[in-house]
C-alpha cells in the first residue's frame, strides 16, 4: 500500500512541522557523540509531560547507535525522566553499526539506526531475542540539504540527474547547459564547481546516494548506494561539520549535510526540481511530506520503509532527499526486567506528544499513517 494514496496524509504531515535550525540532525559517524545524560540544556522540552505513561517500577535502559537522532533522543530522555523520576535512560550516540552490534550482543535494550536491519543482522538478533527477532521501527525523519556557495546566485534549482552528475564530476562548471536550463534567469558564472563529500562512512552519504539511485538514473550515478563515498572526483571533508565549513568558505562549492548545518552557518540551499508545480525547498515540513510517500515493506512487526516513492515523488512541497532513523528492538523475547521501560519510553517517543517536539529540534515528525503503525508495534512488544 502506498502511503501517498491516503487522502489528507500529506497535508497532515506538512501541517505538523515547523522549521527550526537551532539544533543539528547529524548522521551516523557525525560530529556530536556525547552520551545522553550529559548537557541537555539545548534540548527542547514538551509543554507538558502529563500524558507520559511511566513504567511501574522504573529501572534503567542502556541504548546506543545512530547520532542522526541524538538531539531528538536528548529531548525525549529529558522529558521522560522529568516525568518518570524512577527511570534512568542512557542513549550513547555512536553509529548505527555500533548500536546494532551492541544490541545483538545483548548490551543494549534497543538501538538507533539510520537504516533498517539487514537480513544477517536480523539472524544475529535471534540470539538475544530468544523467542523472536530484531525489528526496525521508524521514529525520526529529516531532510538532507544540498548547500552551495556561488557569488551572485541566490536561488539555485537542480534536479536529481544534474545533481548526481555534479557530484560524479560529469558536470564541472557552473554555467553548464544542464544547470542553465534549470535556472534560466540566473547569471551563472563560468566558475569551476568544487564539490565536497564526506571522507568518513556516513548515513548521510548512504541516504543521498539512495536518492541518486532512485531518481537520477544509472548514467548520472552508476554506483550502488553506500556509506563510503563512491563518486569520482570532488574533495572530502570530515563529517557534516567539515563539509559545511568548506562550502561556507569556498566560492563555487557545493556539498550535502543535514539541514540545520546550513541554517546555523547561513549556507544557501538548493531547491530540487522534482517535476512538481514548483521546485521544492529543504525544510522539515517538506521532508515530512516526502516521507509520507514511503511505504512499509517489513513483514510481521517489522516496519522497514521503502523510500523509493519519496525519492521520485512529484507531489507539491514534498522534499525528496530524506533520512529516516529507526529504533531496533526485539518483537518478542525482550528481557523481562527492561521490557516495561522499553515499551513505556518508546511509547512516549512515538506518541503525538513525543513526535510533536521534533519540530523544535529541526526534525520531521512521522506522517500520521506511519506513526499509527509505530504506536501499535511498540504496544505489542513482548
Amino acid at each position: 500500500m502506498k502511503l501517498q494514496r491516503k487522502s489528507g496524509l500529506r497535508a497532515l504531515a506538512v501541517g505538523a512541522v515547523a522549521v527550526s535550525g537551532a539544533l543539528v540532525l547529524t548522521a551516523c559517524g557525525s560530529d556530536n557523540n556525547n552520551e545522553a545524560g550529559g548537557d541537555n540544556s539545548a534540548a527542547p522540552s514538551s509543554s507538558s509531560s502529563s500524558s507520559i505513561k511511566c513504567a511501574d517500577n522504573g529501572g534503567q535502559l542502556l541504548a546506543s547507535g545512530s547520532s542522526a537522532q541524538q538531539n531528538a533522543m536528548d529531548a525525549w530522555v529529558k522529558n521522560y525522566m522529568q516525568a518518570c523520576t524512577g527511570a534512568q535512560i542512557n542513549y550513547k550516540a555512536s553509529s548505527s553499526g555500533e548500536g546494532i552490534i551492541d544490541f545483538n550482543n545483548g548490551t543494549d535494550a534497543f538501538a538507533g539506526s539510520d537504516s533498517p536491519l539487514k537480513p544477517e543482522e536480523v539472524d544475529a538478533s535471534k540470539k538475544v531475542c530468544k523467542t523472536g527477532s530484531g525489528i526496525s521501527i521508524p521514529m525520526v525523519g529529516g531532510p538532507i540539504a544540498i548547500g552551495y556557495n556561488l557569488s551572485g546566485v541566490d536561488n539555485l534549482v537542480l534536479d536529481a540527474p544534474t545533481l548526481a552528475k555534479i557530484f560524479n564530476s560529469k558536470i564541472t562548471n557552473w554555467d553548464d547547459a544542464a544547470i542553465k536550463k534549470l535556472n534560466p534567469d540566473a547569471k551563472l558564472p563560468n566558475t569551476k564547481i568544487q564539490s565536497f563529500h564526506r571522507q568518513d562512512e556516513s548515513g548521510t552519504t548512504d541516504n543521498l546516494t539512495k536518492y541518486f539511485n532512485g531518481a537520477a538514473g544509472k548514467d548520472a550515478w552508476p554506483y550502488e548506494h553506500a556509506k563510503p563515498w563512491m563518486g569520482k572526483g570532488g574533495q572530502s571533508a570530515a563529517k557534516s561539520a567539515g563539509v559545511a565549513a568548506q562550502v561556507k568558505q569556498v566560492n563555487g562549492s557545493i556539498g550535502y549535510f543535514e539541514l540545520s548545518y546550513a541554517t546555523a552557518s547561513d549556507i544557501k540551499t538548493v531547491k530540487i526540481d522534482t517535476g512538481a508545480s514548483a521546485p521544492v525547498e529543504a525544510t522539515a515540513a517538506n521532508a515530512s511530506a516526502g516521507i509520507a510517500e514511503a511505504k512499509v515493506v517489513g513483514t510481521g512487526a517489522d516496519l522497514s520503509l521503502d523510500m523509493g516513492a519519496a525519492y521520485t515523488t512529484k507531489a507539491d512541497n514534498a522534499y525528496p532527499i530524506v533520512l529516516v532513523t529507526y529504533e531496533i528492538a526485539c518483537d518478542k523475547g525482550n528481557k523481562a526486567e527492561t521490557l516495561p521501560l522499553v515499551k513505556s519510553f518508546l511509547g512516549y517517543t512515538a506518541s503525538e506528544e513525543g513526535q510533536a517536539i521534533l519540530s523544535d529540534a529541526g526534525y520531521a515528525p512521522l506522517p500520521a499513517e506511519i506513526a499509527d503503525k509505530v504506536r501499535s508495534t511498540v504496544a505489542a512488544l513482548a
Side-chain angles (χ1 to χ4, degrees), residues 46 52 75-76 79-80 343-351 353-354 357:
S46 61
I52 295 176
W76 286 329
N79 290 347
Y80 187 88
K343 293 180 69 172
S344 174
F345 178 66
L346 295 184
Y348 162 60
T349 66
S351 70
E353 179 184 334
I357 69 171

Side-chain angles (χ1 to χ4, degrees), residues 200-360:
D200 50 311
E201 293 192 11
S202 165
T204 313
T205 298
D206 193 32
N207 282 276
L208 174 69
T209 54
K210 285 178 181 177
Y211 166 68
F212 288 162
N213 285 164
K218 285 289 186 181
D219 179 63
W221 192 258
Y223 321 103
E224 291 300 317
H225 69 84
K227 291 182 179 180
W229 182 253
M230 304 297 289
K232 303 299 183 184
Q235 303 173 63
S236 64
K239 304 183 179 180
S240 288
V243 175
Q246 291 296 323
V247 173
K248 178 71 174 177
Q249 295 169 9
V250 179
N251 184 47
S253 61
I254 190 169
Y256 60 94
F257 29 76
E258 293 73 31
L259 175 62
S260 46
Y261 281 103
T263 304
S265 297
D266 195 26
I267 296 172
K268 293 175 287 189
T269 60
V270 172
K271 293 180 180 179
I272 305 299
D273 183 344
T274 64
S277 62
V280 184
E281 185 178 359
T283 70
N286 291 347
S288 190
I291 295 167
E293 301 293 316
K295 60 180 179 180
V296 175
V297 293
T299 57
D302 186 82
L303 296 178
S304 298
L305 296 176
D306 180 350
M307 302 299 295
Y311 303 143
T312 59
T313 180
K314 295 182 180 180
D316 287 347
N317 301 313
Y319 186 74
I321 315 176
V322 289
L323 173 73
V324 173
T325 68
Y326 297 80
E327 311 308 336
I328 307 300
C330 296
D331 58 352
K332 298 178 182 177
N334 288 277
K335 295 178 181 178
E337 62 270 25
T338 58
L339 176 60
L341 187 52
V342 168
K343 293 180 69 172
S344 174
F345 178 66
L346 295 184
Y348 162 60
T349 66
S351 70
E352 290 185 7
E353 179 184 334
Q355 289 290 303
I357 69 171
L358 291 179
S359 58
D360 291 333

Side-chain angles (χ1 to χ4, degrees), residues 5 46 85 134 137 187 241 290 294 320 340 350 363 367 370:
R5 297 190 185 279
S46 61
T85 55
I137 308 171
K187 295 181 178 180
Y363 294 92
I370 297 176

Side-chain angles (χ1 to χ4, degrees), residues 23-27 29-36 39 42 65-68 70-71 74 91-95 239-241 261:
L23 296 175
V24 178
L25 172 61
T26 52
S30 62
D31 310 293
N32 187 347
N33 289 318
N34 295 329
E35 294 185 12
D39 180 8
S66 168
S67 55
Q70 181 175 0
N71 288 321
D74 285 350
Y91 182 85
K92 178 183 178 182
S94 51
S95 71
K239 304 183 179 180
S240 288
Y261 281 103

Side-chain angles (χ1 to χ4, degrees), residues 40-228:
N40 288 328
S41 58
S45 297
S46 61
S47 59
S48 170
S49 60
S50 60
S51 67
I52 295 176
K53 297 180 180 179
C54 303
D56 290 340
N57 298 322
Q60 182 178 16
L61 285 184
L62 296 179
S64 65
S66 168
S67 55
Q69 59 183 261
Q70 181 175 0
N71 288 321
M73 193 61 68
D74 285 350
W76 286 329
V77 167
K78 179 180 178 180
N79 290 347
Y80 187 88
M81 289 174 57
Q82 284 178 343
C84 306
T85 55
Q88 178 69 36
I89 299 170
N90 187 327
Y91 182 85
K92 178 183 178 182
S94 51
S95 71
S96 295
E98 291 177 73
I100 291 170
I101 289 171
D102 288 343
F103 174 76
N104 282 343
N105 284 337
T107 305
D108 293 345
F110 69 90
S113 176
D114 60 0
S115 299
L117 289 173
K118 299 175 182 177
E120 61 268 25
E121 292 169 338
V122 173
D123 289 341
S125 73
K126 294 177 182 179
K127 296 177 182 179
V128 174
C129 308
K130 299 297 185 182
T131 58
S133 62
I135 57 172
S136 303
I137 308 171
M139 199 66 74
V140 183
I144 299 172
I146 307 299
Y148 72 99
N149 181 346
L150 186 60
S151 297
V153 179
D154 296 321
N155 190 25
L156 184 66
V157 176
L158 296 173
D159 59 13
T162 305
L163 190 59
K165 288 177 182 179
I166 288 172
F167 278 105
N168 198 31
S169 299
K170 288 189 174 184
I171 293 176
T172 57
N173 285 75
W174 280 110
D175 62 349
D176 186 273
I179 303 177
K180 283 184 174 180
K181 184 177 180 180
L182 291 164
N183 298 272
D185 298 325
K187 295 181 178 180
L188 294 165
N190 184 26
T191 301
K192 181 177 176 59
I193 296 173
Q194 299 194 56
S195 64
F196 288 91
H197 56 263
R198 291 280 288 269
Q199 70 180 32
D200 50 311
E201 293 192 11
S202 165
T204 313
T205 298
D206 193 32
N207 282 276
L208 174 69
T209 54
K210 285 178 181 177
Y211 166 68
F212 288 162
N213 285 164
K218 285 289 186 181
D219 179 63
W221 192 258
Y223 321 103
E224 291 300 317
H225 69 84
K227 291 182 179 180

